[in-house]
Amino acid sequence: MIAIMLENLIMQLQSIPMARDHSVPRGAQLFLQGSPVKSLFLVISGDICLQRHQTDGGFVILQRATSGDVLAEASLYSHHYHCHAIAQQNSRVCALPKASVIALLQKDHNFCRNWIMHLSREVQQARFR
């Protein structure tokens, strides 16, 4: 059941108007901490990490997103990203305009339910770790 809901969510995200696929080479930054949030990203292939840099020069990995994962979903209602997104290998993402995702959440009950289920699963996995 959860796998079907995730599949539905991915299909719904990819059907958002103005969703655009693009490549992110290994080592490239998809976005930087402090950049304005204009898009949400669905990872089509590859591996992208969210990294927050620490005052001691190190960093913490907040998320490791691979094929089928939504990257930085917590940023949807933020004005700026709170970390860097760095491709760990050649990757492909689907950029989803922030305004379009929010509009879909407001008008599509099925999408909203799938989104809530996705976020709940992410919180559960984070707590488990």
Side-chain angles (χ1 to χ4, degrees), residues 50-69:
L50 292 184
Q51 299 177 354
R52 179 165 302 156
H53 290 270
Q54 306 296 303
T55 55
D56 66 2
F59 63 88
V60 174
I61 295 178
L62 301 174
Q63 181 185 16
R64 182 171 213 138
T66 58
S67 181
D69 290 336

Side-chain angles (χ1 to χ4, degrees), residues 21-32:
D21 284 11
H22 66 275
S23 298
V24 186
R26 181 178 187 221
Q29 300 166 328
L30 183 59
F31 55 79
L32 296 173

Side-chain angles (χ1 to χ4, degrees), residues 98-115:
K98 174 183 172 176
S100 298
V101 176
I102 291 172
L104 190 57
L105 282 167
Q106 292 172 342
K107 73 176 186 180
D108 186 329
H109 176 73
N110 186 46
F111 176 72
C112 191
R113 185 188 68 218
N114 288 340
W115 184 253

Side-chain angles (χ1 to χ4, degrees), residues 6-122:
L6 180 59
E7 246 179 64
N8 289 341
L9 178 68
I10 291 170
M11 289 186 333
Q12 289 169 318
L13 288 170
Q14 289 178 312
S15 69
I16 288 176
M18 299 184 62
R20 297 174 312 150
D21 284 11
H22 66 275
S23 298
V24 186
R26 181 178 187 221
Q29 300 166 328
L30 183 59
F31 55 79
L32 296 173
Q33 183 175 341
S35 299
V37 178
K38 295 179 182 174
S39 298
L40 195 65
F41 296 93
L42 174 65
V43 179
I44 305 300
S45 64
D47 182 352
I48 300 179
C49 285
L50 292 184
Q51 299 177 354
R52 179 165 302 156
H53 290 270
Q54 306 296 303
T55 55
D56 66 2
F59 63 88
V60 174
I61 295 178
L62 301 174
Q63 181 185 16
R64 182 171 213 138
T66 58
S67 181
D69 290 336
V70 179
L71 182 68
E73 56 270 269
S75 65
L76 186 60
Y77 289 99
S78 295
H79 295 290
H80 298 89
Y81 292 108
H82 296 101
C83 51
H84 302 312
I86 313 293
Q88 304 303 300
Q89 58 183 260
N90 291 335
S91 302
R92 203 170 106 239
V93 299
C94 182
L96 310 158
K98 174 183 172 176
S100 298
V101 176
I102 291 172
L104 190 57
L105 282 167
Q106 292 172 342
K107 73 176 186 180
D108 186 329
H109 176 73
N110 186 46
F111 176 72
C112 191
R113 185 188 68 218
N114 288 340
W115 184 253
I116 290 168
M117 289 178 67
H118 165 71
L119 294 177
S120 296
R121 186 176 57 93
E122 291 297 312

